[in-house]
PDB file of all heavy atoms in Angstrom:
ATOM      1  N   THR A 257      -6.798  -2.483   2.566  1.00 98.00           N
ATOM      2  CA  THR A 257      -7.123  -3.858   2.268  1.00 98.00           C
ATOM      3  C   THR A 257      -5.857  -4.726   2.167  1.00 98.00           C
ATOM      4  O   THR A 257      -5.769  -5.799   2.739  1.00 98.00           O
ATOM      5  CB  THR A 257      -7.962  -3.985   0.966  1.00 98.00           C
ATOM      6  OG1 THR A 257      -9.153  -3.222   1.123  1.00 98.00           O
ATOM      7  CG2 THR A 257      -8.304  -5.418   0.624  1.00 98.00           C
ATOM      8  N   TYR A 258      -4.857  -4.154   1.512  1.00 98.00           N
ATOM      9  CA  TYR A 258      -3.535  -4.791   1.418  1.00 98.00           C
ATOM     10  C   TYR A 258      -2.966  -4.991   2.832  1.00 98.00           C
ATOM     11  O   TYR A 258      -2.469  -6.099   3.158  1.00 98.00           O
ATOM     12  CB  TYR A 258      -2.591  -3.918   0.568  1.00 98.00           C
ATOM     13  CG  TYR A 258      -1.145  -4.189   0.733  1.00 98.00           C
ATOM     14  CD1 TYR A 258      -0.531  -5.154  -0.054  1.00 98.00           C
ATOM     15  CD2 TYR A 258      -0.359  -3.479   1.654  1.00 98.00           C
ATOM     16  CE1 TYR A 258       0.839  -5.418   0.076  1.00 98.00           C
ATOM     17  CE2 TYR A 258       0.980  -3.727   1.792  1.00 98.00           C
ATOM     18  CZ  TYR A 258       1.585  -4.694   0.994  1.00 98.00           C
ATOM     19  OH  TYR A 258       2.924  -4.935   1.140  1.00 98.00           O
ATOM     20  N   ALA A 259      -3.010  -3.951   3.666  1.00 98.00           N
ATOM     21  CA  ALA A 259      -2.449  -4.036   4.999  1.00 98.00           C
ATOM     22  C   ALA A 259      -3.151  -5.110   5.847  1.00 98.00           C
ATOM     23  O   ALA A 259      -2.513  -5.864   6.549  1.00 98.00           O
ATOM     24  CB  ALA A 259      -2.569  -2.670   5.724  1.00 98.00           C
ATOM     25  N   PHE A 260      -4.474  -5.179   5.718  1.00 98.00           N
ATOM     26  CA  PHE A 260      -5.215  -6.227   6.434  1.00 98.00           C
ATOM     27  C   PHE A 260      -4.776  -7.623   5.971  1.00 98.00           C
ATOM     28  O   PHE A 260      -4.629  -8.532   6.780  1.00 98.00           O
ATOM     29  CB  PHE A 260      -6.729  -6.014   6.275  1.00 98.00           C
ATOM     30  CG  PHE A 260      -7.563  -7.012   7.017  1.00 98.00           C
ATOM     31  CD1 PHE A 260      -7.518  -7.069   8.391  1.00 98.00           C
ATOM     32  CD2 PHE A 260      -8.347  -7.896   6.353  1.00 98.00           C
ATOM     33  CE1 PHE A 260      -8.310  -8.003   9.100  1.00 98.00           C
ATOM     34  CE2 PHE A 260      -9.116  -8.816   7.027  1.00 98.00           C
ATOM     35  CZ  PHE A 260      -9.092  -8.887   8.395  1.00 98.00           C
ATOM     36  N   GLY A 261      -4.574  -7.742   4.672  1.00 98.00           N
ATOM     37  CA  GLY A 261      -4.129  -9.033   4.141  1.00 98.00           C
ATOM     38  C   GLY A 261      -2.746  -9.426   4.645  1.00 98.00           C
ATOM     39  O   GLY A 261      -2.520 -10.572   5.010  1.00 98.00           O
ATOM     40  N   ILE A 262      -1.835  -8.446   4.737  1.00 98.00           N
ATOM     41  CA  ILE A 262      -0.500  -8.722   5.290  1.00 98.00           C
ATOM     42  C   ILE A 262      -0.617  -9.155   6.742  1.00 98.00           C
ATOM     43  O   ILE A 262      -0.065 -10.154   7.180  1.00 98.00           O
ATOM     44  CB  ILE A 262       0.434  -7.509   5.120  1.00 98.00           C
ATOM     45  CG1 ILE A 262       0.730  -7.213   3.666  1.00 98.00           C
ATOM     46  CG2 ILE A 262       1.715  -7.680   5.944  1.00 98.00           C
ATOM     47  CD1 ILE A 262       1.564  -8.267   2.957  1.00 98.00           C
ATOM     48  N   ASP A 263      -1.347  -8.365   7.542  1.00 98.00           N
ATOM     49  CA  ASP A 263      -1.461  -8.625   8.969  1.00 98.00           C
ATOM     50  C   ASP A 263      -2.188  -9.936   9.291  1.00 98.00           C
ATOM     51  O   ASP A 263      -1.889 -10.588  10.292  1.00 98.00           O
ATOM     52  CB  ASP A 263      -2.136  -7.467   9.690  1.00 98.00           C
ATOM     53  CG  ASP A 263      -1.265  -6.212   9.672  1.00 98.00           C
ATOM     54  OD1 ASP A 263      -0.045  -6.297   9.459  1.00 98.00           O
ATOM     55  OD2 ASP A 263      -1.854  -5.125   9.837  1.00 98.00           O
ATOM     56  N   SER A 264      -3.096 -10.339   8.423  1.00 98.00           N
ATOM     57  CA  SER A 264      -3.826 -11.593   8.652  1.00 98.00           C
ATOM     58  C   SER A 264      -3.178 -12.768   7.891  1.00 98.00           C
ATOM     59  O   SER A 264      -3.674 -13.872   7.953  1.00 98.00           O
ATOM     60  CB  SER A 264      -5.298 -11.444   8.263  1.00 98.00           C
ATOM     61  OG  SER A 264      -5.419 -11.112   6.897  1.00 98.00           O
ATOM     62  N   ARG A 265      -2.050 -12.451   7.197  1.00 98.00           N
ATOM     63  CA  ARG A 265      -1.313 -13.486   6.444  1.00 98.00           C
ATOM     64  C   ARG A 265      -2.204 -14.170   5.374  1.00 98.00           C
ATOM     65  O   ARG A 265      -2.141 -15.350   5.117  1.00 98.00           O
ATOM     66  CB  ARG A 265      -0.721 -14.539   7.358  1.00 98.00           C
ATOM     67  CG  ARG A 265       0.099 -14.042   8.557  1.00 98.00           C
ATOM     68  CD  ARG A 265       1.277 -13.175   8.142  1.00 98.00           C
ATOM     69  NE  ARG A 265       2.172 -12.987   9.261  1.00 98.00           N
ATOM     70  CZ  ARG A 265       2.213 -11.851  10.018  1.00 98.00           C
ATOM     71  NH1 ARG A 265       1.415 -10.826   9.693  1.00 98.00           N
ATOM     72  NH2 ARG A 265       3.073 -11.707  10.976  1.00 98.00           N
ATOM     73  N   ASP A 266      -3.024 -13.359   4.744  1.00 98.00           N
ATOM     74  CA  ASP A 266      -3.977 -13.857   3.722  1.00 98.00           C
ATOM     75  C   ASP A 266      -3.483 -13.453   2.339  1.00 98.00           C
ATOM     76  O   ASP A 266      -3.724 -12.351   1.867  1.00 98.00           O
ATOM     77  CB  ASP A 266      -5.371 -13.249   4.033  1.00 98.00           C
ATOM     78  CG  ASP A 266      -6.450 -13.767   3.109  1.00 98.00           C
ATOM     79  OD1 ASP A 266      -6.169 -14.249   1.989  1.00 98.00           O
ATOM     80  OD2 ASP A 266      -7.627 -13.675   3.535  1.00 98.00           O
ATOM     81  N   GLU A 267      -2.732 -14.350   1.740  1.00 98.00           N
ATOM     82  CA  GLU A 267      -2.125 -14.047   0.441  1.00 98.00           C
ATOM     83  C   GLU A 267      -3.152 -13.727  -0.617  1.00 98.00           C
ATOM     84  O   GLU A 267      -2.918 -12.806  -1.414  1.00 98.00           O
ATOM     85  CB  GLU A 267      -1.250 -15.227   0.008  1.00 98.00           C
ATOM     86  CG  GLU A 267      -0.477 -14.924  -1.269  1.00 98.00           C
ATOM     87  CD  GLU A 267       0.577 -16.007  -1.601  1.00 98.00           C
ATOM     88  OE1 GLU A 267       0.907 -16.808  -0.736  1.00 98.00           O
ATOM     89  OE2 GLU A 267       1.046 -15.960  -2.774  1.00 98.00           O
ATOM     90  N   ALA A 268      -4.266 -14.416  -0.643  1.00 98.00           N
ATOM     91  CA  ALA A 268      -5.267 -14.131  -1.641  1.00 98.00           C
ATOM     92  C   ALA A 268      -5.811 -12.701  -1.491  1.00 98.00           C
ATOM     93  O   ALA A 268      -6.080 -12.016  -2.472  1.00 98.00           O
ATOM     94  CB  ALA A 268      -6.399 -15.169  -1.561  1.00 98.00           C
ATOM     95  N   LEU A 269      -6.021 -12.282  -0.251  1.00 98.00           N
ATOM     96  CA  LEU A 269      -6.489 -10.921  -0.007  1.00 98.00           C
ATOM     97  C   LEU A 269      -5.454  -9.872  -0.472  1.00 98.00           C
ATOM     98  O   LEU A 269      -5.809  -8.900  -1.107  1.00 98.00           O
ATOM     99  CB  LEU A 269      -6.832 -10.704   1.482  1.00 98.00           C
ATOM    100  CG  LEU A 269      -7.423  -9.346   1.836  1.00 98.00           C
ATOM    101  CD1 LEU A 269      -8.697  -9.055   1.052  1.00 98.00           C
ATOM    102  CD2 LEU A 269      -7.697  -9.309   3.360  1.00 98.00           C
ATOM    103  N   VAL A 270      -4.214 -10.129  -0.166  1.00 98.00           N
ATOM    104  CA  VAL A 270      -3.148  -9.211  -0.593  1.00 98.00           C
ATOM    105  C   VAL A 270      -3.130  -9.110  -2.119  1.00 98.00           C
ATOM    106  O   VAL A 270      -3.116  -8.052  -2.706  1.00 98.00           O
ATOM    107  CB  VAL A 270      -1.761  -9.643  -0.071  1.00 98.00           C
ATOM    108  CG1 VAL A 270      -0.658  -8.761  -0.655  1.00 98.00           C
ATOM    109  CG2 VAL A 270      -1.731  -9.602   1.457  1.00 98.00           C
ATOM    110  N   ARG A 271      -3.143 -10.262  -2.802  1.00 98.00           N
ATOM    111  CA  ARG A 271      -3.083 -10.290  -4.254  1.00 98.00           C
ATOM    112  C   ARG A 271      -4.325  -9.622  -4.872  1.00 98.00           C
ATOM    113  O   ARG A 271      -4.247  -9.104  -6.000  1.00 98.00           O
ATOM    114  CB  ARG A 271      -3.018 -11.729  -4.762  1.00 98.00           C
ATOM    115  CG  ARG A 271      -1.694 -12.374  -4.546  1.00 98.00           C
ATOM    116  CD  ARG A 271      -1.770 -13.845  -5.017  1.00 98.00           C
ATOM    117  NE  ARG A 271      -0.528 -14.545  -4.774  1.00 98.00           N
ATOM    118  CZ  ARG A 271       0.465 -14.667  -5.671  1.00 98.00           C
ATOM    119  NH1 ARG A 271       0.366 -14.095  -6.839  1.00 98.00           N
ATOM    120  NH2 ARG A 271       1.537 -15.333  -5.405  1.00 98.00           N
ATOM    121  N   SER A 272      -5.459  -9.628  -4.153  1.00 98.00           N
ATOM    122  CA  SER A 272      -6.693  -9.132  -4.758  1.00 98.00           C
ATOM    123  C   SER A 272      -6.697  -7.668  -5.084  1.00 98.00           C
ATOM    124  O   SER A 272      -7.561  -7.204  -5.852  1.00 98.00           O
ATOM    125  CB  SER A 272      -7.863  -9.460  -3.815  1.00 98.00           C
ATOM    126  OG  SER A 272      -7.870  -8.599  -2.683  1.00 98.00           O
ATOM    127  N   VAL A 273      -5.769  -6.885  -4.550  1.00 98.00           N
ATOM    128  CA  VAL A 273      -5.741  -5.452  -4.821  1.00 98.00           C
ATOM    129  C   VAL A 273      -4.835  -5.069  -5.976  1.00 98.00           C
ATOM    130  O   VAL A 273      -4.734  -3.905  -6.335  1.00 98.00           O
ATOM    131  CB  VAL A 273      -5.392  -4.594  -3.566  1.00 98.00           C
ATOM    132  CG1 VAL A 273      -6.404  -4.873  -2.442  1.00 98.00           C
ATOM    133  CG2 VAL A 273      -3.988  -4.821  -3.105  1.00 98.00           C
ATOM    134  N   PHE A 274      -4.172  -6.065  -6.565  1.00 98.00           N
ATOM    135  CA  PHE A 274      -3.215  -5.822  -7.687  1.00 98.00           C
ATOM    136  C   PHE A 274      -3.685  -6.427  -8.993  1.00 98.00           C
ATOM    137  O   PHE A 274      -4.311  -7.509  -8.970  1.00 98.00           O
ATOM    138  CB  PHE A 274      -1.825  -6.439  -7.326  1.00 98.00           C
ATOM    139  CG  PHE A 274      -1.175  -5.774  -6.144  1.00 98.00           C
ATOM    140  CD1 PHE A 274      -1.298  -6.319  -4.863  1.00 98.00           C
ATOM    141  CD2 PHE A 274      -0.432  -4.634  -6.277  1.00 98.00           C
ATOM    142  CE1 PHE A 274      -0.689  -5.740  -3.760  1.00 98.00           C
ATOM    143  CE2 PHE A 274       0.182  -4.022  -5.190  1.00 98.00           C
ATOM    144  CZ  PHE A 274       0.031  -4.571  -3.941  1.00 98.00           C
ATOM    145  N   THR A 275      -3.364  -5.760 -10.086  1.00 98.00           N
ATOM    146  CA  THR A 275      -3.627  -6.355 -11.381  1.00 98.00           C
ATOM    147  C   THR A 275      -2.643  -7.513 -11.584  1.00 98.00           C
ATOM    148  O   THR A 275      -1.580  -7.567 -10.917  1.00 98.00           O
ATOM    149  CB  THR A 275      -3.383  -5.343 -12.530  1.00 98.00           C
ATOM    150  OG1 THR A 275      -2.030  -4.848 -12.499  1.00 98.00           O
ATOM    151  CG2 THR A 275      -4.369  -4.176 -12.455  1.00 98.00           C
ATOM    152  N   PRO A 276      -2.930  -8.475 -12.448  1.00 94.00           N
ATOM    153  CA  PRO A 276      -2.040  -9.592 -12.681  1.00 94.00           C
ATOM    154  C   PRO A 276      -0.610  -9.191 -13.100  1.00 94.00           C
ATOM    155  O   PRO A 276       0.345  -9.895 -12.787  1.00 94.00           O
ATOM    156  CB  PRO A 276      -2.751 -10.399 -13.770  1.00 94.00           C
ATOM    157  CG  PRO A 276      -4.181 -10.048 -13.668  1.00 94.00           C
ATOM    158  CD  PRO A 276      -4.180  -8.602 -13.218  1.00 94.00           C
ATOM    159  N   ASP A 277      -0.481  -8.076 -13.777  1.00 96.00           N
ATOM    160  CA  ASP A 277       0.828  -7.630 -14.244  1.00 96.00           C
ATOM    161  C   ASP A 277       1.463  -6.510 -13.398  1.00 96.00           C
ATOM    162  O   ASP A 277       2.441  -5.912 -13.776  1.00 96.00           O
ATOM    163  CB  ASP A 277       0.748  -7.169 -15.704  1.00 96.00           C
ATOM    164  CG  ASP A 277      -0.201  -6.000 -15.900  1.00 96.00           C
ATOM    165  OD1 ASP A 277      -1.002  -5.704 -15.004  1.00 96.00           O
ATOM    166  OD2 ASP A 277      -0.112  -5.379 -16.978  1.00 96.00           O
ATOM    167  N   ALA A 278       0.918  -6.288 -12.222  1.00 98.00           N
ATOM    168  CA  ALA A 278       1.406  -5.222 -11.327  1.00 98.00           C
ATOM    169  C   ALA A 278       2.869  -5.477 -10.959  1.00 98.00           C
ATOM    170  O   ALA A 278       3.286  -6.597 -10.768  1.00 98.00           O
ATOM    171  CB  ALA A 278       0.568  -5.093 -10.071  1.00 98.00           C
ATOM    172  N   VAL A 279       3.607  -4.361 -10.825  1.00 98.00           N
ATOM    173  CA  VAL A 279       5.010  -4.451 -10.397  1.00 98.00           C
ATOM    174  C   VAL A 279       5.141  -3.762  -9.035  1.00 98.00           C
ATOM    175  O   VAL A 279       4.593  -2.688  -8.868  1.00 98.00           O
ATOM    176  CB  VAL A 279       5.962  -3.796 -11.439  1.00 98.00           C
ATOM    177  CG1 VAL A 279       7.381  -3.736 -10.949  1.00 98.00           C
ATOM    178  CG2 VAL A 279       5.888  -4.531 -12.760  1.00 98.00           C
ATOM    179  N   MET A 280       5.889  -4.403  -8.149  1.00 98.00           N
ATOM    180  CA  MET A 280       6.116  -3.851  -6.805  1.00 98.00           C
ATOM    181  C   MET A 280       7.598  -3.597  -6.628  1.00 98.00           C
ATOM    182  O   MET A 280       8.422  -4.391  -7.077  1.00 98.00           O
ATOM    183  CB  MET A 280       5.625  -4.863  -5.736  1.00 98.00           C
ATOM    184  CG  MET A 280       4.126  -5.110  -5.798  1.00 98.00           C
ATOM    185  SD  MET A 280       3.580  -6.354  -4.632  1.00 98.00           S
ATOM    186  CE  MET A 280       3.686  -5.406  -3.082  1.00 98.00           C
ATOM    187  N   GLN A 281       7.903  -2.489  -5.983  1.00 98.00           N
ATOM    188  CA  GLN A 281       9.284  -2.134  -5.685  1.00 98.00           C
ATOM    189  C   GLN A 281       9.401  -1.731  -4.242  1.00 98.00           C
ATOM    190  O   GLN A 281       8.553  -0.980  -3.741  1.00 98.00           O
ATOM    191  CB  GLN A 281       9.695  -0.965  -6.617  1.00 98.00           C
ATOM    192  CG  GLN A 281      11.088  -0.504  -6.401  1.00 98.00           C
ATOM    193  CD  GLN A 281      11.427   0.712  -7.282  1.00 98.00           C
ATOM    194  OE1 GLN A 281      10.576   1.236  -7.966  1.00 98.00           O
ATOM    195  NE2 GLN A 281      12.658   1.168  -7.207  1.00 98.00           N
ATOM    196  N   GLY A 282      10.392  -2.295  -3.544  1.00 96.00           N
ATOM    197  CA  GLY A 282      10.566  -1.963  -2.122  1.00 96.00           C
ATOM    198  C   GLY A 282      11.799  -2.602  -1.568  1.00 96.00           C
ATOM    199  O   GLY A 282      12.754  -2.848  -2.299  1.00 96.00           O
ATOM    200  N   ALA A 283      11.758  -2.954  -0.286  1.00 93.00           N
ATOM    201  CA  ALA A 283      12.897  -3.523   0.418  1.00 93.00           C
ATOM    202  C   ALA A 283      13.377  -4.824  -0.201  1.00 93.00           C
ATOM    203  O   ALA A 283      14.578  -5.181  -0.085  1.00 93.00           O
ATOM    204  CB  ALA A 283      12.577  -3.731   1.884  1.00 93.00           C
ATOM    205  N   LEU A 284      12.543  -5.522  -0.898  1.00 95.00           N
ATOM    206  CA  LEU A 284      12.891  -6.815  -1.503  1.00 95.00           C
ATOM    207  C   LEU A 284      13.269  -6.689  -2.978  1.00 95.00           C
ATOM    208  O   LEU A 284      13.306  -7.652  -3.705  1.00 95.00           O
ATOM    209  CB  LEU A 284      11.720  -7.822  -1.375  1.00 95.00           C
ATOM    210  CG  LEU A 284      11.247  -8.082   0.055  1.00 95.00           C
ATOM    211  CD1 LEU A 284      10.019  -8.978   0.076  1.00 95.00           C
ATOM    212  CD2 LEU A 284      12.392  -8.674   0.864  1.00 95.00           C
TER     213      LEU A 284
END
Side-chain angles (χ1 to χ4, degrees):
T257 301
Y258 162 88
F260 181 65
I262 293 293
D263 292 339
S264 60
R265 311 299 193 260
D266 185 336
E267 186 171 343
L269 183 58
V270 174
R271 287 177 183 267
S272 75
V273 301
F274 295 95
T275 60
D277 61 344
V279 173
M280 298 176 73
Q281 180 183 4
L284 302 175

